[in-house]
Amino acid sequence: MTQGPPPSGISARRWTLITTLLHPRTADFWLYYAPRNGAGPQQLRVCERSGYDFARLTWQSCAECRRGHVMKIRVTDEWQRQGYGTRMMARAMRGCESYTWTTTPQFEDGQRFFPALGAALGTGFPADKSCEHNAVRGGGYAEPRLEGPPALNAGV
């Protein structure tokens, strides 16, 4: 596989170190992007060795309202139906399982995914807006942190 540009927020040198020396046999890399200033959206990206992010989840959570809100989820066609969306949601919901979760009106794949995920969790993901506390946009993302993939049955 051809090495492309590294994922956003990671230098080419650091990406080469991660993919060749630290994790030479890893097939996919889970990168967590925290909000830069503690407020605003969070993001999880799953990248192949080339640096291409084939799965991405953007969400916000609010401890005050006890709400979580999925802003966008995407899994490229060839990686769908392999548990990436479910595992990304398990990661987003970690520590916020008792929150009320909503999502934006989704495209066709998301319109099928969220009802199925909601049935598995015994909850729904109605289309709604984020809470007023999250209406203030954050200042971008902090440097991404490499994480291990959540277990397929983690929380779901």
Side-chain angles (χ1 to χ4, degrees), residues 1 15 19 23-30 46-52 54 79 84:
M1 183 172 297
W15 187 245
T19 58
H23 302 281
R25 292 182 184 88
T26 301
D28 52 36
F29 297 87
W30 292 67
V46 187
C47 302
E48 59 184 15
R49 298 187 74 76
S50 70
Y52 171 65
F54 61 86
W79 282 277
Y84 286 104

Side-chain angles (χ1 to χ4, degrees), residues 127-144:
D128 202 354
K129 298 181 291 188
S130 186
C131 75
E132 62 192 41
H133 303 110
N134 280 325
V136 177
R137 296 286 182 220
Y141 298 111
E143 183 176 326

Side-chain angles (χ1 to χ4, degrees), residues 44-47 52-57 74-76 84 88:
L44 188 63
R45 298 180 188 182
V46 187
C47 302
Y52 171 65
D53 65 336
F54 61 86
R56 187 182 290 194
L57 173 68
R74 171 187 60 79
V75 179
T76 303
Y84 286 104
M88 286 191 305

